[in-house]
Amino acid sequence: YRRAIELDPDFALAYARLAYVELLRHWYTTPMAESELAEVKVQIDRALGLAPQLPEAHLALGYYHYWGFRNYAEANVEFKRTLELAPNNVDAISGLAFTARRSGNVDQALQYLKQAVEISPRDAPLLSSYGETFSLVRDYAEADEIFNHAGKGG
């Protein structure tokens, strides 16, 4: 994405995707310093400035609020905006599910995860999250069914 931006400084999608993958790294592997998160926000703002209706830019902003600061309310605003622009965006639906689950609304999380799995039935990490969420409510039979389904390739 950096190379794409170098070649085309007005490539909004490259800024949005770069921000998203950097946030993935922050959440899953190496936490960023505040200055690095600030730079991610600059990338998102650049993407939104170039293309205010770009779903990927709103998605990145949603995950910036979620993964960067655990601000679920602000994240949900952006995930919902993403879905207005791209109704089948599995990453936005998943974001809504994960913020619901972290907020203690497991039933709502399950509804969002079901919707996401219907769109992307072979997404192993998504199926895993779906099964784990059923485990949280001690519906082990449903969790086993989902995990078995995931083990067979979706």
Side-chain angles (χ1 to χ4, degrees), residues 18 30 33 41 58 142-143 153:
L18 176 60
T30 310
K41 182 66 164 68
H58 289 279
E142 189 66 31

Side-chain angles (χ1 to χ4, degrees), residues 21-100:
V21 297
E22 288 181 345
L23 289 163
L24 275 171
R25 174 181 61 89
H26 170 72
W27 186 254
Y28 288 106
T29 61
T30 310
M32 291 185 191
E34 284 185 40
S35 61
E36 292 174 298
L37 283 170
E39 180 56 34
V40 168
K41 182 66 164 68
V42 168
Q43 295 163 359
I44 295 167
D45 290 345
R46 176 78 172 139
L48 287 168
L50 291 166
Q53 303 302 313
L54 183 66
E56 292 84 352
H58 289 279
L59 180 71
L61 185 54
Y63 279 104
Y64 171 81
H65 290 297
Y66 173 26
W67 288 337
F69 301 95
R70 294 188 174 140
N71 182 335
Y72 308 139
E74 290 295 320
N76 286 341
V77 167
E78 293 303 322
F79 294 146
K80 288 176 182 178
R81 179 66 180 132
T82 302
L83 291 172
E84 289 172 8
L85 299 166
N88 289 326
N89 187 301
V90 171
D91 292 321
I93 298 167
S94 299
L96 289 169
F98 300 144
T99 59

Side-chain angles (χ1 to χ4, degrees), residues 116-142:
V117 166
E118 287 172 353
I119 295 167
S120 188
R122 294 182 176 269
D123 185 326
L126 182 60
L127 287 165
S128 178
S129 291
Y130 194 29
E132 289 167 2
T133 306
F134 272 108
S135 293
L136 289 174
V137 294
R138 299 175 191 229
D139 187 340
Y140 302 118
E142 189 66 31

